């Protein structure tokens, strides 16, 4: 598989003393869905800003499809490929009409008028907001606004979509909407997704999880592998997703079920099996 | 607070709504010039201006009540300037007490002038969204690029400011509620006390605006914003037959006003 993003020994500090990120290295393959988890202040949002050159690593290297995020000349190429969706939808929307906002990115790239129109169609369709094209974003719900923010990034046709706590300010309904859209983009449009979050249940869906603590990657692996290390996670202030908590509780009570259950369906199946056996 | 629509835009499809924003801005300026051209005491010229507003309103599908409502906001100014003219104008014949005939005429004249100007300007903001007005001004100002005036940046600042007005109104609402929950009192006391009570609202608002600006800048950078260089525009403004008709009507108004002025002069002679 092609490595689309490489982070090599990246370190960063805001004040030249306290390192927010220490010697971080990881690679992302095209089409992968990665979750980066860590509690507040772990350095995960700083990492997001490193990925598209909003911040430049003090040492080390971030490369996207062979373009360095360090180099001023290739910065534009990096940003074209890495779309970042931030936490607060209100602070990402530039224009007072949905279609004008989605057009903002393509306009910056200097794309022809006709193609901008096509890109708006594509982006709004991808997030399921076609009928809101002429509406003012102030009249939309949080989840809808965030979907417009995603559409605004998609209109740049990025290869990597970085979600920097993009669901943190949303209600459960809005969070579900956004996650469904992201999942669809990953599956159907083959967009590489890097989801930075402190909601463990959002990481369940990922192909791979990186756990950050105090600016270092302390764990990495599939959700099953990571969630199996419940004790270590708890030590760095991260709670397991509810289903995993139930499972580990049941195991403690002496139930003979597998440790690596992640979803409600799997749990249901395992419990039914257990009932049949007895 | 969410439904505060800045600039009172009345969204509907109509002949006037579909006109080019640039043309509308220019025509309104021409119209205001027309109102000022009406010579003293020649009220027929105002009649022509009123006719113009009525025709434009009919073509804009905006209810008359909406247009007339705009006068309510400046009613105080109108009454105030009328009173000054009526009671303090000393020239002309005294009709009663200190009121002169010229004072009355002048009052009527000023009332008509202010009202007509406001009606025209309201018609512009009712039929043109703030974004269109900002885009129109950008386009009209584009010759200034040659003297190195940052037209694009200016227009972007304007449209972002317009975009954030409802967001900030929401925020003010939230801060006021939060301060009230902590016992802040915004309703009692004299004017000075009430103004002072607003300080704990304005400071959080200012701080959060800076944070918003910072985040917005990051989001814009992430979406490849790099100034006006090599930038294309999705929305293009173009002239249609509507703009030509609007132009003809306005030209007709100005000729009418000038003609009526001359007509009066003839009558006097």
């Amino acid at each position: 598989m092609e490595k689309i993003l490489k982070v090599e020994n990246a370190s960063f500090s805001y004040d030249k003393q306290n390192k927010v990120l220490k010697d971080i290295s990881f690679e992302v393959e095209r089409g992968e869905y990665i979750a980066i988890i860590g509690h507040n202040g772990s350095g995960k949002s700083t990492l997001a800003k490193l990925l598209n050159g909003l911040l430049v690593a003090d040492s080390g290297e971030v490369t996207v499809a062979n373009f360095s995020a360090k180099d001023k000349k290739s910065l534009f190429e990096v940003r074209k490929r890495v779309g970042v969706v931030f936490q607060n939808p209100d602070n990402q929307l530039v224009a007072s009409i949905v279609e004008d906002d989605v057009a903002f990115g393509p306009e910056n790239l200097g794309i022809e008028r006709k193609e901008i129109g096509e890109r708006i169609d594509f982006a709004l369709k991808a997030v399921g907001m076609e009928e809101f094209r002429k509406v003012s974003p102030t009249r939309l719900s949080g989840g809808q606004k965030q979907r417009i923010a995603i559409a605004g990034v998609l209109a740049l046709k990025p290869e990597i979509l970085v979600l920097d706590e993009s669901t943190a300010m949303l209600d459960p309904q809005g969070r579900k909407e956004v996650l469904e859209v992201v999942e669809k983009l990953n599956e159907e449009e083959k967009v590489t997704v890097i989801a930075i979050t402190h909601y463990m249940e959002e990481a369940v869906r990922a192909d791979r999880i990186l756990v950050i603590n105090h600016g270092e990657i302390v764990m990495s692996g599939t959700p099953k592998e990571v969630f199996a290390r419940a004790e270590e996670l708890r030590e760095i202030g991260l709670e397991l997703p509810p289903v995993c908590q139930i499972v580990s509780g049941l195991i403690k009570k002496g139930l003979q079920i597998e440790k690596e259950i992640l979803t409600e369906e799997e749990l249901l199946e395992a419990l039914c099996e257990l009932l049949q056996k007895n | 607070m969410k439904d505060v629509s800045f600039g009172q835009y009345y969204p509907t499809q109509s002949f006037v709504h579909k006109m080019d924003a640039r043309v509308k801005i220019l025509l309104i300026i021409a119209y205001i010039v027309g109102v000022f051209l009406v010579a003293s005491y020649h009220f027929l010229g105002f009649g022509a201006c009123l006719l113009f507003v009525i025709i434009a309103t009919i073509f804009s599908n905006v209810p008359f009540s909406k247009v007339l409502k705009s006068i309510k906001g400046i009613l105080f100014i109108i009454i105030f300037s009328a009173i000054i003219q009526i009671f303090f104008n000393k020239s002309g014949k005294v009709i009663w007490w200190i009121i002169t005939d010229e004072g009355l005429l002048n009052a009527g004249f000023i009332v008509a002038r202010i009202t007509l100007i406001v009606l025209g300007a309201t018609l512009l903001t009712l039929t043109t969204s703030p974004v269109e007005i900002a885009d129109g001004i950008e386009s009209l100002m584009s010759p200034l690029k040659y003297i190195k005036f940052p037209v694009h940046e200016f227009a972007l600042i304007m449209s972002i400011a317009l975009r954030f007005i409802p967001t900030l109104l929401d925020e003010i609402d939230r801060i006021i509620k939060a301060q009230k929950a902590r016992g802040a009192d915004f309703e009692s006391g004299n004017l000075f006390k009430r103004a002072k009570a607003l300080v704990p609202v304005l400071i959080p608002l200012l701080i959060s605006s800076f944070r918003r600006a910072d985040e917005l800048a990051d989001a814009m950078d992430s979406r490849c914003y790099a100034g006006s260089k090599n930038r294309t525009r999705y929305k293009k403004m173009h002239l249609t037959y509507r703009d030509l008709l609007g132009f003809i009507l306005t030209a007709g108004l100005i000729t009418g006003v000038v003609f009526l002025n001359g007509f009066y002069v003839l009558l006097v002679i």
Side-chain angles (χ1 to χ4, degrees):
Chain A
M1 272 299 247
E2 185 196 346
K3 304 275 187 235
I4 189 159
L5 172 78
K6 274 189 230 166
V7 179
E8 290 160 282
N9 307 101
S11 295
F12 182 83
S13 74
Y14 287 100
D15 55 4
K16 307 268 176 244
Q17 281 172 13
N18 305 313
K19 280 196 173 173
V20 184
L21 294 175
K22 296 168 203 157
D23 212 18
I24 294 235
S25 297
F26 64 92
E27 289 179 337
V28 178
E29 277 170 16
R30 193 181 283 279
E32 240 187 328
Y33 192 129
I34 302 251
I36 297 179
I37 54 178
H39 64 81
N40 293 334
S42 60
K44 54 191 195 309
S45 279
T46 309
L47 181 59
K49 286 183 179 163
L50 235 52
L51 297 181
N52 77 338
L54 284 177
L55 296 174
V56 176
D58 297 336
S59 63
E61 196 71 54
V62 176
T63 37
V64 177
N66 293 325
F67 290 103
S68 164
K70 224 178 201 170
D71 200 344
K72 272 245 151 54
K73 275 179 228 146
S74 55
L75 193 59
F76 203 66
E77 296 298 324
V78 169
R79 288 193 179 151
K80 230 155 86 179
R81 286 170 173 78
V82 183
V84 186
V85 181
F86 295 93
Q87 188 174 29
N88 190 338
D90 273 326
N91 298 351
Q92 295 174 65
L93 304 177
V94 187
S96 340
I97 290 170
V98 166
E99 65 171 347
D100 291 348
D101 187 77
V102 178
F104 181 74
E107 284 177 337
N108 291 337
L109 295 182
I111 286 165
E112 296 272 323
R113 235 168 70 75
K114 203 172 141 258
E115 208 202 319
I116 295 180
E118 289 163 11
R119 285 192 178 205
I120 296 172
D121 289 337
F122 155 78
L124 286 180
K125 204 166 165 227
V127 298
M129 294 286 289
E130 305 102 301
E131 73 245 59
F132 297 97
R133 192 172 172 145
K134 305 264 182 203
V135 170
S136 158
T138 42
R139 291 176 197 276
L140 302 178
S141 73
Q144 288 174 323
K145 276 188 221 168
Q146 199 63 299
R147 274 150 71 195
I148 296 302
I150 294 176
V153 168
L154 282 181
L156 292 159
K157 302 230 165 162
E159 289 164 51
I160 306 174
L161 185 63
V162 177
L163 303 163
D164 181 9
E165 302 244 32
S166 305
T167 58
M169 289 186 73
L170 307 180
D171 55 14
Q173 177 59 34
R175 194 178 307 155
K176 209 176 127 217
E177 287 171 20
V178 169
L179 288 177
E180 274 168 8
V181 162
V182 171
E183 220 163 282
K184 204 185 98 197
L185 287 170
N186 179 248
E187 269 160 25
E188 289 170 17
E189 309 287 336
K190 305 288 170 222
V191 179
T192 312
V193 175
I194 302 179
I196 295 172
T197 177
H198 64 258
Y199 289 109
M200 300 293 272
E201 54 277 31
E202 285 179 17
V204 171
R205 157 71 185 76
D207 298 320
R208 197 147 58 92
I209 297 181
L210 304 176
V211 183
I212 301 202
N213 191 36
H214 296 305
E216 283 172 296
I217 296 181
V218 289
M219 273 182 234
S220 101
T222 62
K224 285 188 190 199
E225 287 164 7
V226 170
F227 291 143
R229 297 157 75 176
E231 282 305 313
E232 286 170 71
L233 284 174
R234 203 162 294 143
E235 268 169 40
I236 57 173
L238 292 169
E239 284 292 334
L240 288 180
V243 174
C244 299
Q245 283 188 28
I246 294 172
V247 170
S248 71
L250 290 174
I251 291 172
K252 258 188 206 155
K253 289 266 176 205
L255 255 68
Q256 300 284 322
I257 54 172
E258 259 191 81
K259 207 173 154 190
E260 284 149 358
I261 290 168
L262 291 179
T263 62
E264 285 171 31
E265 286 79 35
E266 285 174 347
L267 179 60
L268 192 70
E269 219 167 89
L271 289 176
C272 288
E273 234 170 72
L274 203 64
L275 268 176
Q276 274 173 351
K277 261 193 233 163
N278 299 345
Chain B
M1 275 259 194
K2 252 205 171 131
D3 281 327
V4 178
S5 57
F6 182 76
Q8 54 187 348
Y9 179 56
Y10 187 84
T12 173
Q13 297 288 327
S14 81
F15 185 91
V16 181
H17 282 77
K18 282 186 189 146
M19 276 171 73
D20 191 316
R22 293 169 298 181
V23 174
K24 276 191 270 187
I25 294 169
L26 288 179
L27 291 188
I28 284 301
I29 294 172
Y31 162 80
I32 291 172
V33 170
V35 172
F36 274 105
L37 273 180
V38 176
S40 303
Y41 313 141
H42 299 169
F43 284 93
L44 256 183
F46 287 138
C49 294
L50 188 64
L51 189 68
F52 176 84
V53 172
I54 292 173
I55 292 173
T57 312
I58 291 170
F59 274 103
S60 71
N61 270 354
V62 180
F64 276 97
S65 59
K66 275 256 173 211
V67 185
L68 288 175
K69 236 183 170 176
S70 63
I71 299 174
K72 237 168 85 183
I74 53 142
L75 205 58
F76 175 74
I77 300 174
I78 295 181
I79 293 171
F80 185 71
S81 34
I83 286 175
I84 287 198
Q85 284 301 326
I86 292 172
F87 290 105
F88 296 98
N89 197 325
K90 295 248 185 316
S91 48
K93 262 192 293 180
V94 174
I95 300 176
W96 176 72
W97 192 33
I98 53 165
I99 299 169
T100 63
D101 57 347
E102 216 165 282
L104 276 179
L105 271 175
N106 258 338
F109 192 73
I110 280 177
V111 168
R113 195 179 251 179
I114 299 177
T115 312
L116 283 169
I117 288 173
V118 170
L119 286 180
T122 308
L123 211 51
L124 174 71
T125 52
L126 279 169
T127 60
T128 322
S129 73
V131 181
E132 283 177 304
I133 294 180
D135 284 352
I137 291 175
E138 176 179 8
S139 176
L140 288 174
M141 279 175 33
S142 59
L144 293 178
K145 263 185 236 158
Y146 297 106
I147 57 163
K148 296 263 169 1
F149 184 82
V151 175
H152 162 75
E153 284 76 6
F154 183 77
L156 189 74
I157 290 169
M158 216 156 52
S159 66
I160 287 178
L162 290 171
R163 140 84 186 80
F164 271 91
I165 285 173
T167 311
L168 292 181
L169 283 177
D170 267 356
E171 179 116 54
I172 293 172
D173 200 33
R174 210 163 40 236
I175 297 172
I176 287 182
K177 276 185 191 141
Q179 303 291 35
K180 269 189 186 163
R182 292 168 199 170
D185 182 8
F186 296 104
E187 272 108 29
S188 61
N190 57 26
L191 196 69
F192 184 71
K193 256 192 186 150
R194 270 193 255 179
K196 219 174 149 191
L198 278 179
V199 172
V201 174
L202 293 178
I203 289 174
L205 184 71
L206 196 69
I207 292 170
S208 95
S209 302
F210 273 109
R211 192 166 41 233
R212 281 181 195 281
D214 220 26
E215 282 180 25
L216 184 70
D218 272 351
M220 284 168 70
D221 266 343
S222 300
R223 283 160 78 181
C224 297
Y225 180 69
S228 56
K229 229 171 96 194
N230 297 329
R231 204 166 183 272
T232 46
R233 295 302 298 260
Y234 171 56
K235 288 230 166 109
K236 249 217 176 97
M237 289 176 274
H238 41 240
L239 303 176
T240 58
Y241 73 95
R242 295 185 189 88
D243 302 304
L244 184 66
L245 281 176
F247 181 75
I248 292 172
L249 185 64
T250 316
L253 168 78
I254 301 220
T255 343
V257 168
V258 171
F259 175 75
L260 285 171
N261 282 344
F263 184 62
Y264 263 99
V265 174
L266 281 183
L267 273 188
V268 173
I269 294 167

